[in-house]
């Protein structure tokens, strides 16, 4: 049902139009429905304005309008926010999607990335120089949301989280200031955006440290959904070098050509491999994968690193309906593995994949107080992600994921990863940041006392 949207005064819009280079889209404009659309179709919001920023000046002007007029402000990068924080009703959407420039310095091994870039953009630019940094596992994910939440991916064990590789940012704060934040300058804000989400401003550019990563041994191996396979996976991670990224997935067999058709849609588990070590060790990695259990299907080969970050893209395109929960674990207790097997058997759709990210190695070499992301004692991060084709089916399966999450709680550390939280998880924010929450609250009080940046997993001032 189409509902009316309270209009923003024409004079205000014209004033903003004079101040920005990018496009302004209003409800009466032909492109409005496309402009308001986000990745998670559960969030069908109707903003009063969508500002497609062209540069940092557009961001400053848009933040100023929202602050002065008391309008809700949603900041959108890649639009992958599961909780739908890249859109809002009756407010302003600041869409950074047009700001995707990237400049790589191969000698310094750094990349300057604009705030609307996706990980596909970053991987394409850096791979030309045989370099990479930790990104997500879906290439269309926005750099901004993933990094400011912490940022885990295939290279986490070797290179740390995305936020661990963040050397500086340019940040527009609630008062309209554009601040460069480095370890020497505005260091408190750099600390805060390394895991504190979008609570402190709009990042218009990021500077990342890069690592020598070119071709990798990568791809997926599928096994029966069996606790013995899961236990052997746990041993694989514990005994392997940090060069081995091995993300565990639990769900239903996807319709891929290397998995026999009779396994499509049936419960199974899999390991998505990203081995960035030397090629002469590939056979050993293949042997270790074979030792996990009977292989139902496998496609693992030497591929360019950017390819491994696209393996889930076709499975979870924009426009599906999502509802997620997340947790951290120390080790993978037997009880957690038994829970994966139990609930994995009743996974509601092929797109509803439970994903388990190893967080040891380089992630453990950062102290909890060194970044806003505090779960440095966690060994794994778990995403429970029912994803359905209709809103009705997604609503119907919310009890499934809630029960799954409750069953994991006795084996979890409490709190969870903010990028795996849905909108009804606001009561978990303090637990998500643990001992860092008080410091984050004090910084919020200093830089955003009016809580302009509240459409997020909010740290209230």
């Amino acid at each position: 049902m189409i509902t009316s949207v309270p209009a923003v005064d024409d004079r205000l819009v014209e004033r903003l139009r004079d101040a920005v280079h990018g496009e302004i889209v209003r409800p009466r404009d032909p492109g409005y429905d496309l402009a308001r659309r986000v990745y998670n179709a559960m969030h069908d919001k109707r903003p009063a304005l969508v500002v497609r920023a062209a540069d940092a000046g557009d961001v400053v002007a848009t933040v100023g309008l929202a602050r002065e007029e008391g309008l809700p402000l949603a900041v959108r990068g890649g639009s992958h926010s599961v909780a739908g924080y890249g859109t809002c009703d009756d407010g302003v959407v600041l869409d950074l999607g047009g700001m995707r420039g990237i400049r790589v310095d191969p000698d310094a091994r750094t990349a300057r990335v604009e705030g609307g870039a996706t990980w596909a953009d970053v991987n394409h630019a850096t791979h030309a120089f045989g370099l990479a940094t930790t990104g997500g596992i879906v290439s269309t994910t926005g750099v901004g949301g993933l990094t400011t939440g912490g940022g885990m991916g295939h290279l986490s064990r070797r290179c740390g989280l995305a936020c661990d590789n963040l050397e500086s940012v340019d940040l527009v704060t609630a008062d309209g200031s554009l601040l460069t934040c480095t370890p020497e300058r505005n260091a408190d804000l750099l600390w805060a955006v390394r895991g504190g989400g979008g609570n402190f401003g709009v990042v218009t550019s990021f500077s990342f440290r890069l690592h020598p990563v070119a071709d990798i041994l990568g791809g997926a191996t599928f096994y029966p959904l069996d606790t013995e396979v899961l236990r052997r996976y746990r041993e694989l991670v514990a005994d392997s070098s940090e060069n081995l990224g091995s993300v565990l997935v639990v769900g239903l067999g996807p319709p891929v050509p290397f998995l026999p058709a009779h396994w499509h849609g049936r419960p199974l588990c899999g390991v998505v491999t990203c081995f960035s070590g030397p090629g002469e060790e590939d056979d050993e990695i293949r042997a270790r994968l074979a030792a996990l259990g009977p292989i139902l299907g496998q496609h693992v080969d030497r591929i360019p690193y950017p390819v491994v970050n696209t393996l889930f893209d076709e499975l979870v395109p924009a426009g599906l309906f999502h509802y997620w929960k997340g947790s951290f674990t120390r080790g993978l207790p037997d009880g957690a593995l038994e829970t994966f097997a139990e609930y994995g058997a009743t996974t509601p759709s092929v797109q509803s994949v439970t994903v388990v990210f190893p967080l040891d190695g380089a992630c453990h070499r950062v102290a909890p107080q060194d970044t806003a992301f505090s779960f440095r004692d966690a060994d794994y991060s778990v995403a429970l992600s029912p994803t359905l084709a209709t809103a009705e089916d997604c609503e119907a399966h919310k009890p499934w994921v809630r029960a799954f999450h409750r069953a994991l709680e006795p084996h979890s550390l409490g709190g969870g990863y903010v990028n795996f939280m849905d909108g009804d998880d606001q009561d978990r924010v303090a637990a998500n940041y643990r001992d860092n929450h008080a410091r984050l609250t004090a910084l919020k009080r200093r830089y955003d006392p009016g809580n302009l940046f509240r459409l997020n997993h909010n740290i209230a001032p």
Side-chain angles (χ1 to χ4, degrees):
M1 182 178 67
I2 297 176
T3 58
S4 61
V5 179
V8 175
D9 188 283
D10 287 345
R11 289 171 297 177
L12 293 176
V13 175
E14 289 310 310
R15 192 180 80 195
L16 182 62
R17 205 181 299 277
D18 290 340
V20 303
H21 286 130
E23 182 185 9
I24 297 175
V25 184
R26 306 178 73 178
R28 60 175 179 250
D29 293 334
Y32 176 71
D33 282 336
L34 179 62
R36 69 187 181 86
R37 190 177 303 165
V38 292
Y39 179 81
N40 184 357
M42 286 295 283
H43 305 288
D44 186 21
K45 302 291 181 68
R46 302 187 67 81
L49 291 177
V50 178
V51 181
R52 289 171 163 160
D55 52 34
D58 288 4
V59 174
V60 171
T62 306
V63 168
L65 174 77
R67 181 188 65 250
E68 293 162 13
E69 300 302 320
L71 294 169
L73 175 64
V75 181
R76 179 191 302 167
S79 94
H80 271 241
S81 168
V82 173
Y85 292 136
T87 188
C88 62
D89 282 323
D90 307 335
V92 178
V93 170
L94 174 54
D95 186 350
L96 305 181
M99 297 173 58
R100 297 171 70 165
I102 298 171
R103 181 169 56 84
V104 178
D105 183 336
D107 295 326
R109 291 183 179 172
T110 60
R112 173 65 67 175
V113 179
E114 285 193 309
T118 67
W119 285 105
D121 299 327
V122 174
N123 292 336
H124 173 77
T126 59
H127 183 70
F129 303 97
L131 300 170
T133 196
T134 303
I137 63 169
V138 175
S139 74
T140 55
T141 304
V143 170
L146 185 129
T147 302
T148 59
M152 54 197 68
H154 294 295
L155 297 175
S156 297
R157 300 184 71 225
R158 171 180 166 179
C159 303
L161 302 176
C163 72
D164 299 337
N165 292 283
L166 186 60
E167 296 188 333
S168 70
V169 298
D170 291 330
L171 183 73
V172 176
T173 54
D175 65 359
S177 299
L178 176 59
L179 303 178
T180 297
C181 307
T182 72
E184 297 77 34
R185 185 178 173 194
N186 300 308
D188 54 350
L189 282 172
L190 179 62
W191 176 86
V193 300
R194 286 171 163 165
N199 277 281
F200 300 93
V202 183
V203 180
T204 60
S205 70
F206 301 81
S207 180
F208 290 101
R209 181 170 60 255
L210 304 177
H211 306 265
V213 179
D215 291 350
I216 54 99
L217 181 70
T221 307
F222 294 111
Y223 308 90
L225 181 53
D226 181 270
T227 53
E228 278 306 310
V229 175
L230 300 178
R231 288 188 184 97
R232 293 186 192 119
Y233 164 79
R234 179 177 63 192
E235 294 167 4
L236 170 72
V237 175
D239 296 340
S240 63
S241 80
E242 295 172 8
N243 289 330
L244 180 61
S246 50
V247 174
L248 174 68
V249 294
V250 177
L252 306 181
V256 292
F258 61 90
L259 182 67
H262 66 273
W263 279 102
H264 294 179
R266 293 176 60 187
L268 48 65
C269 63
V271 175
V272 182
T273 301
C274 176
F275 176 65
S276 58
E280 53 265 29
E281 296 180 20
D282 286 2
D283 287 345
E284 178 187 348
I285 299 300
R286 292 178 184 277
R288 298 197 68 187
L289 291 171
L292 297 185
I295 293 179
L296 307 178
Q298 183 180 56
H299 186 73
V300 174
D301 209 342
R302 274 276 151 181
I303 55 176
Y305 167 72
V307 174
V308 77
N309 204 29
T310 67
L311 297 182
F312 289 94
D313 286 7
E314 291 186 9
L315 186 65
V316 284
L320 296 174
F321 296 79
H322 305 257
Y323 178 76
W324 288 27
K325 295 294 175 191
S327 60
F328 291 108
T329 69
R330 186 177 291 119
L332 277 179
D334 285 348
L337 301 182
E338 291 161 5
T339 302
F340 292 151
E342 176 186 354
Y343 281 86
T346 57
T347 298
S349 71
V350 169
Q351 294 83 8
S352 301
V353 182
T354 296
V355 187
V356 183
F357 294 84
L359 284 182
D360 59 341
C363 301
H364 280 186
R365 291 195 288 274
V366 179
Q369 69 274 12
D370 288 349
T371 65
F373 182 96
S374 66
F375 277 87
R376 301 297 178 167
D377 56 335
D379 297 310
Y380 295 90
S381 177
V382 181
L384 311 179
S385 53
T387 299
L388 285 303
T390 70
E392 293 75 17
D393 281 347
C394 192
E395 287 289 345
H397 285 93
K398 284 183 178 181
W400 175 83
V401 73
R402 289 168 179 156
F404 193 168
H405 184 254
R406 284 194 301 272
L408 279 177
E409 281 183 338
H411 318 293
S412 303
L413 291 174
Y417 179 43
V418 293
N419 286 344
F420 296 160
M421 299 291 174
D422 221 296
D424 57 1
D425 283 317
Q426 288 289 350
D427 61 341
R428 300 179 67 191
V429 169
N432 294 345
Y433 291 110
R434 304 163 106 190
D435 292 343
N436 288 337
H437 188 255
R439 181 178 175 187
L440 287 164
T441 301
L443 288 170
K444 181 74 170 182
R445 214 173 278 135
R446 176 180 175 187
Y447 288 102
D448 186 14
N451 208 11
L452 176 65
F453 301 112
R454 61 185 178 274
L455 298 184
N456 46 46
H457 291 296
N458 193 232
I459 299 166

